[in-house]
Amino acid sequence: MTGAPADPGESGPVSGHMLAGHTLTGHTLAGHMLTEDTLLGGRVRLRQPRDGLRAGLDAVMLAAAVPARPGERVLEAGCGSGAAFLCLAARVPGLRVTAVERDPVLAALARANAEANGLADRVEVLAGDIGDPALAHALAASARFDHAFANPPYWPGGTPPPADRRRAAVQEGEARLADWARFLAAPLAWRGTLALVLPAARLDAGLRALGDSGCGGPLVVPLWPRDALPAKRVLLRAVRGGRGPSRLAPGIALHRPGGGWTKAAAAILDAGAAIPEPA
């Protein structure tokens, strides 16, 4: 088996009007050249390393799948430079965000991005690993979270990407998908939601991980590159203590046949709308 397949426009930088930016000449963090980009039609400013896995469609769609309300508490694991929680906070005012990132350089960048977007007083970024029992215990002992979410490393084997940060973002290490789900579920309030974005090929593993973590009644939202093409990504969302059957949402086709985003995709990627809730 080879490494993760190339997937332009799905997990890396997104072309067109969703993510626009430029390299910051002379601006580095720990020796890494940075770019400054915008998301949600300019509502979110994001500095991130120029090289490696960069924020794209996955982060924005993940944020749109979290049914948060103003004033609630949310937890993100593996936040990178902060794209997902920044998009969520731009849509939902008054959120309290706790984010975990094991790469100290990215954790520092996520804090700086929170400050640049006026969220420093509402965002706490912890430099830590989801495999650290002390961190998991501290979060579980803190005030309960209403929602938790992650874009976890998803490929369990194969040839890893050569860049360290890209490898850490896409290749499962010691922490497996089930470990991510357990880490996120433990501090969740009863009936709180846990959301993941995954390749469609890992749908079964994702549903199993959610169930094993105590989260049930999962909602599956397929993301199709275009109408009539197989989904490459799925959004999964389950409820802590939920017992209902799995539900399959209508899903979202991302691109029009002639190019550009569909109306449904643009509402999320440019206007910052939430994923439509199924009836």
Side-chain angles (χ1 to χ4, degrees):
M1 176 179 175
T2 59
D7 202 0
E10 290 287 336
S11 60
V14 178
S15 61
H17 50 296
M18 191 199 87
L19 188 153
H22 59 277
T23 300
L24 296 171
T25 304
H27 286 256
T28 62
L29 184 65
H32 298 277
M33 187 68 70
L34 302 178
T35 65
E36 183 168 284
D37 306 295
T38 59
L39 298 166
L40 303 186
R43 292 168 60 189
V44 171
R45 294 170 54 200
L46 181 74
R47 289 190 177 188
Q48 58 182 328
R50 183 183 63 184
D51 302 317
L53 190 71
R54 289 165 49 77
L57 184 144
D58 284 359
V60 183
M61 286 293 183
L62 174 62
V66 180
R69 297 178 179 177
E72 290 187 328
R73 290 172 54 88
V74 301
L75 170 67
E76 182 180 9
C79 71
S81 56
F85 75 68
L86 290 172
C87 289
L88 179 58
R91 173 169 60 85
V92 185
L95 282 184
R96 306 291 299 184
V97 177
T98 298
V100 176
E101 172 52 53
R102 72 175 180 177
D103 184 328
V105 173
L106 291 179
L109 194 52
R111 292 189 199 101
N113 281 328
E115 183 174 2
N117 285 274
L119 299 170
D121 61 335
R122 292 163 40 200
V123 173
E124 179 185 25
V125 179
L126 306 175
D129 195 300
I130 68 157
D132 179 2
L135 175 60
H137 177 76
L139 287 172
S142 69
R144 290 290 176 175
F145 294 93
D146 300 289
H147 309 278
F149 55 102
N151 178 7
Y154 40 73
W155 291 115
T159 304
D164 289 343
R165 285 204 169 87
R166 184 174 179 84
R167 179 166 58 247
V170 303
Q171 197 87 13
E172 279 189 347
E174 293 182 5
R176 302 299 183 183
L177 192 53
D179 300 317
W180 284 79
R182 280 194 296 268
F183 177 86
L184 289 163
L188 262 184
W190 190 252
R191 308 302 294 177
T193 71
L194 197 169
L196 304 173
V197 58
L198 294 170
R202 299 229 65 196
L203 172 60
D204 286 348
L207 290 173
R208 186 165 54 249
L210 290 172
D212 290 346
S213 75
C215 296
L219 174 68
V220 180
V221 183
L223 301 178
W224 299 294
R226 289 179 176 82
D227 281 332
L229 291 180
K232 290 187 177 182
R233 290 286 189 273
V234 290
L235 296 166
L236 305 181
R237 192 179 75 208
V239 177
R240 178 78 188 274
R243 297 182 180 277
S246 299
R247 295 177 297 155
L248 181 62
I252 298 171
L254 300 173
H255 297 95
R256 300 193 306 263
W261 303 117
T262 62
K263 183 178 179 180
I268 296 168
L269 301 175
D270 291 333
I275 296 287
E277 293 293 324

